[in-house]
Amino acid sequence: MQVTMSVNGETVTREIEGRMLLVHFLRDELGLTGTHWGCDTSNCGTCVTWLDGEPVKSCTVLAAMAGGHEVRTVEGLEQEGVLDPVQEGFMRCHGLQCGFCTPGMLMTARALLDRDPDPSEQTIREAISGQICRCTGYTTIVRSVQWAAQDQAQKEKGAAEESVGSTS
């Protein structure tokens, strides 16, 4: 069967088997290996991508079900050579160690900050509770998301002040 979808803003069409999972479509058909494949049971969360702006575990979504929809992967976080604040936070605050859970964590954290730009520690922990990290104990991941929230707020404040200054 043929499937067409938008992936990171680019329309893609491929001939696939109807039973192909979205995670395999992204990795094997499109070469977007940032989305990791861990358990095939939706327990680990390494495969989180966005489907129409909502985080989904791509090991539980058929690629055919994503046809006609917008998919965003971890490769789509960086924009025009600039890291997303979540990516920057993970780098600065050591939110990754082996890196296996990182793509899913990044996508989940970005979705959280889009909904709640100033989440509490408890809110962050709840948001990432569907992901398993075997290395960090989550403390540095939480710290990374907090850093990203603060950085994002500072950038938005600076942009607002600049906008006010340019209209004077």
Side-chain angles (χ1 to χ4, degrees), residues 112-157:
L112 169 63
L113 294 181
D114 286 351
R115 284 189 320 271
D116 181 354
D118 187 24
S120 68
E121 179 180 340
Q122 181 62 31
T123 300
I124 295 169
R125 288 185 179 278
E126 286 174 12
I128 64 172
S129 67
Q131 302 195 236
I132 296 172
C133 176
R134 292 175 174 93
C135 300
T136 67
Y138 301 93
T139 301
T140 56
I141 293 170
V142 171
R143 191 176 310 130
S144 299
V145 177
Q146 290 171 325
W147 186 95
Q150 291 168 352
D151 181 67
Q152 188 172 286
Q154 288 173 345
K155 286 178 181 172
E156 289 172 2
K157 181 180 179 187

Side-chain angles (χ1 to χ4, degrees), residues 4-21:
T4 300
M5 65 186 77
S6 174
V7 179
N8 299 326
E10 186 176 319
T11 301
V12 296
T13 301
R14 296 288 189 283
E15 194 69 33
I16 62 166
E17 287 186 37
R19 65 182 181 199
M20 177 179 274
L21 295 172

